[in-house]
Amino acid sequence: MALNGGAPPRGSAAASAANLRRRRTASAGGASAGGTSGNMLQFYTDDAPGLKISPNVVLVMSIGFIAFVAVLHVMGKLYLNRREA
């Protein structure tokens, strides 16, 4: 028998599921929840302003940047070694 009126023990999976159910029903009736998500979804529509880049392009550009910085480090080490000699 639980001490807190038949609720599952704190920290258990059943307690977290019950807490999640309570949060969902409480936020479903809120007016501010719909307004916030509507604004956030504007970033992911085709009508959103800005540059449209696919995830593959972002990945290639970031790997290229990392390679460029690595090459600069190697060139700096080589230039420093030649100058000391």
Side-chain angles (χ1 to χ4, degrees):
M1 180 171 168
L3 296 175
N4 49 1
R10 196 169 187 209
S12 68
S16 62
N19 192 14
L20 185 62
R21 259 185 259 123
R22 255 182 271 134
R23 265 192 266 157
R24 279 190 186 158
T25 55
S27 66
S32 65
T36 311
S37 63
N39 293 337
M40 193 64 179
L41 289 176
Q42 286 178 346
F43 291 114
Y44 301 106
T45 62
D46 290 334
D47 299 334
L51 187 62
K52 300 193 178 28
I53 305 175
S54 72
N56 291 336
V57 173
V58 173
L59 182 66
V60 169
M61 287 175 61
S62 62
I63 290 173
F65 177 73
I66 292 169
F68 179 69
V69 170
V71 167
L72 285 178
H73 278 286
V74 169
M75 287 176 56
K77 292 282 186 185
L78 292 176
Y79 180 73
L80 185 65
N81 285 341
R82 285 190 184 159
R83 208 156 187 221
E84 289 176 354

